[in-house]
Amino acid sequence: DYENRGNCTHLSLARLSLSNWQPVGTFAMNSKAELSRQQAFRGSVLHFLEDPGEHGRSGAFEYHEDGLLIVVDGHVANVGSALELLPKLSTTTTLTDCSGKLILPGFIDAHVHFVQTDIIGAYGRRLLEWLEECTYPAERAFADEAHAREVAEFFVAELLRNGTTTALVIGSVHRTSVDAIFTAGLARGMRLIAGKAMMDRNCPDYLKDTAASSYADSLALIERWHGRERMQYAITPRFAPSSTPEQLAGAGRLAREHPDVYVHTHVAENEEEVAWARRLFPERRSYLDVYDHYGLLRKRAAFAHGIWLDDADLARLKATGAALVHCPTCNLFMGSGLLDLKRATAAGVQVAFGTDIGGGTSFSLLRVLHDAYKVAQLRGHSLSPLRAFYLATLGAARALDLDGRIGSFRTGREADFVVLDMAATPLLARRTSTARRLAERLFLLMTLGDDRAVSKTYVMGRLSHDRDGLDSRPQ
Ligand code: GUN
Ligand code: ZN
């Protein structure tokens, strides 16, 4: 019943004597399964109930410096002060002591290409050259099932190592790539949304599908994967320039036929790309309007980048409930531009963050928050740490219409969470030792933190990454 991994201890309350602990329940239930049904995690617990806004609106979040998160059968049963809740625990509860660390809902990466894992850090290009010279050749290899599986395994392990428990993932044009990523996610019990890229023009022949084949392949993948455990499908036209009007019409038809499936694509990322989209679709008011025309704007539709959208575009995103995914790490690396996050949120658009691996250079949402802060500074405003962590958890869950399942510790939510170590590096330890306020600590985590600050990651209450012990393994 007792194991010690790193500096978190796991022990059964049946063996624990606490000064104010009174047994509730019974010692009679003794099967191993029953013993592990209820788990409790002690640490500083933070989750959001609402958007804290720019000034950390009180009541928008719940924080217990010495808190307890109680999980039953992989779902949140309760959260509160440790001293209040510990006495009420059943005697068979497994208690994990993460005192001094921060327990937060798992991060959500709302835009990431798993098929670009091996091209991160390609020197010296902007978007359109990068696609031609680096990305398309690398994606070609995903026709091979063994390659796709090997990369998918590495990729999901890397998500978990970085505290990401849910991701919206773009595959390659090949069905095999989507089978591979869902298979890897399923093995770990993760929540993933993924789709095959639809692309039938303006790309190498070896990556082209057709309007008909992309419709049929996407439909087959929806039937195979959508709603299977925690897997959900995203209809994924890569971006308007690489789809014919026929293919976009097929994507729109598929979306109409499957209202609970996601739509996922890129929009208005880089000026050359925007000009190209205009040339290809001169009859449309804007790049976003191309997608709108084909019925692709709606709730459960996520548009990556959106740096160059205008006010009318933002109003359409808001009106339709579609989400914008801010990918500042990629945007800086590629020189694509500085999204005005404040303008987008003030327009009422739902926003989430994406790493956008492999145009992005880190799997860490902490690093993405850091870059989002800097980009906001360059835009003349500040991204508050509370807002940043909200957007990486509950805000993203809302943007993806998943807040009924993940993103917070409200009762009944799936217990995906991360344990962050505020003393992960000598510098973090030194700086956080004098930081008393929550906002200050969060800001230091997003300024100085990365994968090293992720002590543990739990997926539905199950330890799925342990920095100081187990590596991530399939169930
Ligand atoms: N636009 C179309 N394809 C891509 C891609 O793979 N990465 C990024 N960042 N933008 C794109
Ligand atoms: Zn992308």
Side-chain angles (χ1 to χ4, degrees):
D1 293 340
Y2 187 101
E3 357 165 20
N4 197 335
R5 297 205 192 108
N7 41 11
C8 264
T9 44
H10 304 249
L11 64 166
S12 163
L13 270 187
R15 299 270 172 90
L16 182 74
S17 72
L18 284 166
S19 53
N20 57 351
W21 178 66
Q22 295 146 13
V24 176
T26 163
F27 283 93
M29 27 190 295
N30 273 328
S31 86
K32 270 230 149 180
E34 276 176 305
L35 278 174
S36 60
R37 262 182 37 127
Q38 176 159 304
Q39 302 160 274
F41 300 86
R42 186 176 188 173
S44 298
V45 181
L46 169 69
H47 72 128
F48 293 89
L49 305 167
E50 288 299 333
D51 183 348
E54 282 166 41
H55 308 293
R57 191 177 303 127
S58 71
F61 59 92
E62 194 178 355
Y63 178 61
H64 301 278
E65 177 92 31
D66 180 14
L68 203 69
L69 171 67
I70 302 175
V71 174
V72 175
D73 287 338
H75 292 79
V76 175
N78 204 354
V79 63
S81 121
L83 293 181
E84 247 170 63
L85 292 179
L86 280 170
K88 298 181 187 158
L89 290 178
S90 102
T91 53
T92 54
T93 302
T94 307
L95 180 68
T96 301
D97 185 6
C98 302
S99 298
K101 297 197 172 68
L102 182 66
I103 301 175
L104 198 78
F107 295 127
I108 299 171
D109 184 347
H111 180 71
V112 57
H113 300 249
F114 100 85
V115 293
Q116 295 173 11
T117 301
D118 292 327
I119 55 161
I120 294 169
Y123 174 76
R125 295 169 179 88
R126 283 169 66 85
L127 176 66
L128 300 180
E129 307 94 78
W130 174 81
L131 286 171
E132 289 290 333
E133 293 166 20
C134 307
T135 313
Y136 294 150
E139 292 191 12
R140 183 178 198 174
F142 287 78
D144 178 62
E145 206 170 311
H147 176 72
R149 281 183 184 253
E150 191 275 326
V151 177
E153 286 297 320
F154 178 86
F155 176 86
V156 292
E158 200 60 18
L159 291 182
L160 294 167
R161 238 173 47 70
N162 283 275
T164 298
T165 49
T166 291
L168 173 49
V169 182
I170 303 201
S172 64
V173 71
H174 315 96
R175 276 168 62 167
T176 41
S177 71
V178 176
D179 286 332
I181 191 65
F182 278 139
T183 301
L186 197 67
R188 288 165 177 77
M190 288 176 77
R191 182 170 280 287
L192 288 182
I193 311 169
K196 104 171 196 81
M198 304 166 84
M199 43 203 292
D200 66 346
R201 67 165 165 174
N202 294 324
C203 62
D205 285 343
Y206 60 73
L207 281 186
K208 270 186 200 142
D209 55 14
T210 66
S213 76
S214 65
Y215 178 91
D217 284 351
S218 302
L219 180 60
L221 288 166
I222 290 170
E223 285 168 354
R224 181 178 304 167
W225 290 107
H226 187 68
R228 184 162 162 192
E229 299 199 15
R230 303 178 84 198
M231 305 302 125
Q232 291 172 297
Y233 194 77
I235 299 160
T236 312
R238 183 180 197 115
F239 67 153
S242 65
S243 286
T244 58
E246 295 69 37
Q247 182 164 67
L248 292 172
R253 190 175 132 211
L254 209 48
R256 263 194 317 282
E257 291 163 350
H258 300 274
D260 65 331
V261 159
Y262 288 82
V263 172
H264 184 198
T265 189
H266 300 87
V267 72
E269 173 176 0
N270 148 307
E271 287 166 294
E272 297 92 85
E273 172 223 18
V274 173
W276 192 24
R278 270 193 211 293
R279 287 198 300 278
L280 291 167
F281 297 93
E283 68 288 6
R284 300 270 60 94
R285 195 199 70 80
S286 68
Y287 187 168
L288 186 78
D289 187 47
V290 176
Y291 298 124
D292 205 358
H293 177 74
Y294 291 105
L296 295 167
L297 262 64
R298 62 171 180 182
K299 207 171 169 71
R300 296 202 171 201
F303 294 88
H305 306 286
I307 297 168
W308 306 98
L309 297 179
D310 63 17
D311 288 345
D313 292 325
L314 293 177
R316 277 305 288 161
L317 289 176
K318 184 195 174 187
T320 56
L324 188 65
V325 186
H326 183 20
C327 307
T329 306
C330 175
N331 295 339
L332 290 170
F333 186 72
M334 299 268 215
S336 298
L338 308 170
L339 175 78
D340 190 339
L341 178 62
K342 189 172 176 182
R343 173 169 161 256
T345 53
V349 177
Q350 307 248 40
V351 176
F353 287 116
T355 60
D356 202 5
I357 294 294
T361 49
S362 172
F363 278 85
S364 173
L365 260 298
L366 293 172
R367 293 291 294 270
V368 172
L369 299 187
H370 178 65
D371 288 335
Y373 178 82
K374 290 180 177 168
V375 169
Q377 289 292 96
L378 286 164
R379 277 293 192 165
H381 53 90
S382 298
L383 171 63
S384 81
L386 284 163
R387 190 97 195 268
F389 278 82
Y390 162 78
L391 289 174
T393 57
L394 181 63
R398 284 179 167 177
L400 298 177
D401 193 26
L402 284 174
D403 48 313
R405 297 190 181 274
I406 56 169
S408 77
F409 294 141
R410 284 184 190 267
T411 304
R413 298 297 180 275
E414 296 161 356
D416 289 350
F417 58 95
V418 60
V419 181
L420 296 180
D421 180 359
M422 289 175 282
T425 66
L427 183 59
L428 253 176
R430 186 178 174 93
R431 286 290 287 114
T432 55
S433 69
T434 55
R436 292 275 160 260
R437 290 175 40 240
L438 171 66
E440 233 180 315
R441 290 179 174 182
L442 291 176
F443 192 55
L444 288 169
L445 274 169
M446 68 187 248
T447 303
L448 302 175
D450 52 29
D451 53 331
R452 293 168 295 177
V454 177
S455 167
K456 291 177 195 305
T457 306
Y458 288 85
V459 171
M460 297 208 69
R462 181 177 165 273
L463 182 63
S464 299
H465 163 68
D466 185 350
R467 184 191 63 187
D468 306 308
L470 291 170
D471 280 335
S472 147
R473 300 216 179 108
Q475 275 170 340

